[in-house]
Amino acid sequence: MEKITYKLDKTEVVIHSGYKTIGGNIVEVKYPDGSLIFDIGLNIGLHNQYFTWPTKPHKGIDELVSLDIAPRVDGLYTRWLDEGRTPDIEYGVDTHINGVFISHLHLDHYGLITQLNRNIPIYMGETSRYIMEVKIRQARNYRYNNYKDLQIDKTFRNKSHIVIDDIRITPYHVDHSIPGAYSFKIETLDGVIIYTGDYRLHGQEESLTMDFIEELEGEDIELYITEGTRVHDVEYTTEMEVREKLKHFMEMEESNLIIEFSPLDIDRFLSILSAAYETGRSIYMDEKYFIYLSNYYIYDSKLRKKLDKYGYTDICRGLVDIDRLRDRKRRELIEEISSYIDYIDPSESGDIDIILGIDRGLDMCKAGKLKRDKIAIFSNSEPFNEEGEIDFKKTINWLTKFNIPSYRVHASGHISPIELKDIVNRLKPRDIIVIHSEYPELIKNMLGYE
Ligand SMILES: [Zn+2]
């Protein structure tokens, strides 16, 4: 794990994790009286070299640090008591860290939150807060990895101002593959620092990122800390193009479509939903899609309007085998959702049209429930590690068994090199740090910085 330190006059920026690697961002901004942390991400690739969640779990932050999966950061973490059942709320009361800001709820940006020192307040966007709530409500009280006593009541919105000691933080809503993603303007004693988190310019909400760039134009930016996930073999597809391709598949009426994508990616779901709406098709959602997409519907009035526009509660149904669901919390959550949108038992379903969730789709094939020609669509990124590849191969074997061809229809959640170049040309920061990237130097040089 490579740590880098960047000194301004009274301010120091430390990239504890996330440099020269994709994932696990932890950025510290130190000022004379304390410091702030931006993202507390888990490096999933490193974690998965030793552990499998939840069957082979880790034993808390000390173990993660000793294996170099998480960086050593003074004052950042908790200590576990009672064999990992309880975080020690007395531990680290005197920490110099006065806040942790979460850019968005992808694991590589918040995954170490359960290990956080319970004396540090956490700031996140309102959307992230309710996604978090859904996660907490489904979580069991695992040892060494639970949400007990975390201070997660502080939320912000687009362009809120948060002042902590000498630092003023302004979050800007940006477009990414999960709703409620933010970049931060951090005004320090030594000028403005930008931390972008993950962002893109080619999604459905293009205007969000553009708005952020326009707001910053003309600002004197000392340091621009940007993601640089995509460098090589970049598939340059926009979300609108994804939507058109999906619509094309949906126009083939005599087919069952089985679609896999991230259940948190509301932009992708809107592409799927609007295409289904326009082609007169109906959607059956596996449990995890039913839970997360419906929670967007219930808790976010802006998203609800968009979902209503394409008949979410009319053309979509959950596929939930409620009698086999042993998890009480999950069952409660599903019952709550069902007062907004219905679900049906998969074994009692009649003619199923489009299915969200490849595993559920395959189960329905095994049960002989899908009667038409079948097409599978992977609408997510390709597997990026060995484990993912093994799982993918298994899926392909089952698809082969049922004579189902598969396609990939996807647009990335990350900025592409030419988009980044355009942004930097407009903002002209004094210096740049590229994180969340395997090629930080290549990008920096490409952008014209030494
Ligand atoms: Zn992300």
Side-chain angles (χ1 to χ4, degrees):
M1 189 169 294
E2 193 166 335
K3 165 173 148 178
I4 60 167
T5 302
Y6 188 95
K7 267 188 195 308
L8 291 152
D9 184 19
K10 298 186 186 77
T11 314
E12 199 176 285
V13 175
V14 187
I15 313 293
H16 288 285
S17 166
Y19 187 66
K20 270 197 189 157
T21 175
I22 295 177
N25 282 15
I26 301 181
V27 175
E28 182 172 16
V29 176
K30 292 183 173 172
Y31 51 92
D33 306 322
S35 79
L36 298 174
I37 297 278
F38 292 86
D39 281 341
I40 177 162
L42 171 68
N43 189 316
I44 303 155
L46 288 177
H47 170 272
N48 291 358
Q49 286 179 14
Y50 294 88
F51 306 109
T52 309
W53 182 258
T55 48
K56 286 182 194 155
H58 61 73
K59 282 200 158 51
I61 190 61
D62 292 344
E63 188 173 57
L64 295 177
V65 170
S66 76
L67 291 167
D68 212 20
I69 292 168
R72 196 175 294 281
V73 185
D74 285 344
L76 184 61
Y77 306 120
T78 189
R79 174 171 69 188
W80 292 99
L81 300 173
D82 205 10
E83 290 182 327
R85 287 182 185 86
T86 328
D88 185 353
I89 52 167
E90 308 282 315
Y91 185 72
V93 199
D94 54 350
T95 182
H96 64 289
I97 299 169
N98 297 322
V100 167
F101 286 77
I102 306 286
S103 65
H104 64 286
L105 276 206
H106 278 153
L107 278 175
D108 50 352
H109 294 259
Y110 86 97
L112 284 175
I113 203 168
T114 51
Q115 309 303 321
L116 185 66
N117 178 343
R118 276 14 188 198
N119 299 288
I120 305 175
I122 303 164
Y123 297 78
M124 63 177 88
E126 287 174 359
T127 306
S128 293
R129 182 65 189 82
Y130 76 69
I131 301 174
M132 187 94 203
E133 190 60 40
V134 178
K135 286 180 188 285
I136 291 174
R137 285 192 58 188
Q138 295 181 83
R140 293 188 208 143
N141 262 330
Y142 286 111
R143 290 195 196 184
Y144 301 103
N145 198 7
N146 61 56
Y147 296 92
K148 256 185 218 167
D149 299 321
L150 281 172
Q151 296 187 40
I152 42 175
D153 52 331
K154 293 192 161 52
T155 56
F156 53 72
R157 312 176 86 155
N158 192 22
K159 300 177 202 173
S160 305
H161 293 300
I162 302 147
V163 178
I164 297 174
D165 303 327
D166 300 324
I167 311 281
R168 192 163 99 136
I169 301 103
T170 313
Y172 291 92
H173 206 164
V174 288
D175 176 31
H176 184 42
S177 51
I178 185 169
Y182 285 87
S183 295
F184 297 102
K185 177 166 88 173
I186 308 154
E187 291 170 86
T188 73
L189 297 168
D190 300 309
V192 172
I193 296 170
I194 305 294
Y195 169 65
T196 66
D198 289 346
Y199 62 148
R200 65 174 169 188
L201 274 174
H202 53 270
Q204 287 193 338
E205 300 283 346
E206 182 175 321
S207 58
L208 288 176
T209 307
M210 272 329 284
D211 189 37
F212 159 66
I213 304 301
E214 276 158 20
E215 287 273 334
L216 288 181
E217 251 181 332
E219 221 32 273
D220 213 359
I221 299 168
E222 281 297 325
L223 181 62
Y224 191 74
I225 306 169
T226 180
E227 69 133 312
T229 315
R230 298 196 302 154
V231 180
H232 289 304
D233 201 16
V234 176
E235 198 202 12
Y236 197 50
T237 304
T238 66
E239 191 60 40
M240 292 314 287
E241 287 166 342
V242 166
R243 200 192 90 91
E244 289 315 305
K245 287 181 192 172
L246 290 168
K247 195 173 164 190
H248 179 74
F249 281 108
M250 289 179 195
E251 278 159 355
M252 295 183 253
E253 280 165 30
E254 285 312 306
S255 60
N256 285 125
L257 300 183
I258 305 170
I259 307 177
E260 177 75 14
F261 69 106
S262 158
L264 290 171
D265 187 350
I266 193 75
D267 279 3
R268 183 59 39 81
F269 181 62
L270 280 165
S271 297
I272 295 168
L273 180 69
S274 61
Y277 179 78
E278 285 165 20
T279 50
R281 301 198 58 166
S282 50
I283 294 175
Y284 295 81
M285 304 178 276
D286 191 23
E287 229 170 270
K288 63 180 177 181
Y289 296 94
F290 185 60
I291 289 175
Y292 282 107
L293 298 170
S294 301
N295 270 282
Y296 287 145
Y297 185 83
I298 296 168
Y299 290 110
D300 193 319
S301 56
K302 249 166 83 186
L303 287 179
R304 184 191 295 198
K305 255 186 221 149
K306 288 187 189 174
L307 292 165
D308 272 338
K309 188 174 160 197
Y310 302 113
Y312 178 61
T313 55
D314 297 327
I315 67 170
C316 298
R317 289 287 169 271
L319 278 175
V320 184
D321 188 349
I322 199 85
D323 296 330
R324 271 183 49 202
L325 247 190
R326 270 174 295 163
D327 192 322
R328 182 181 51 86
K329 288 184 182 175
R330 226 170 164 169
R331 220 155 57 196
E332 280 171 14
L333 204 56
I334 286 170
E335 293 300 354
E336 255 175 60
I337 295 168
S338 68
S339 58
Y340 295 86
I341 171 165
D342 294 332
Y343 66 86
I344 54 168
D345 189 315
S347 64
E348 287 162 18
S349 61
D351 183 31
I352 294 275
D353 194 353
I354 296 169
I355 294 194
L356 305 187
I358 193 93
D359 289 337
R360 174 64 72 186
L362 286 168
D363 280 349
M364 301 295 271
C365 288
K366 289 172 201 169
K369 287 275 176 191
L370 303 183
K371 308 285 185 211
R372 314 179 205 167
D373 292 340
K374 293 165 261 304
I375 297 170
I377 298 172
F378 297 103
S379 200
N380 51 7
S381 15
E382 285 161 35
F384 60 94
N385 60 18
E386 234 170 287
E387 259 170 275
E389 270 161 30
I390 292 169
D391 278 350
F392 185 66
K393 188 75 189 128
K394 281 183 205 162
T395 303
I396 295 297
N397 288 341
W398 280 108
L399 290 173
T400 307
K401 159 102 183 126
F402 292 112
N403 302 315
I404 306 172
S406 62
Y407 290 79
R408 190 168 299 276
V409 181
H410 184 53
S412 164
H414 298 279
I415 200 95
S416 84
I418 50 170
E419 292 169 335
L420 189 52
K421 180 128 191 158
D422 181 42
I423 290 173
V424 167
N425 281 342
R426 290 174 70 168
L427 299 183
K428 299 183 177 57
R430 207 146 292 144
D431 210 347
I432 290 181
I433 297 177
V434 179
I435 63 171
H436 208 273
S437 176
E438 284 171 346
Y439 303 94
E441 283 125 5
L442 178 159
I443 297 184
K444 210 174 158 181
N445 294 336
M446 175 204 81
L447 297 171
Y449 290 75
E450 292 280 302

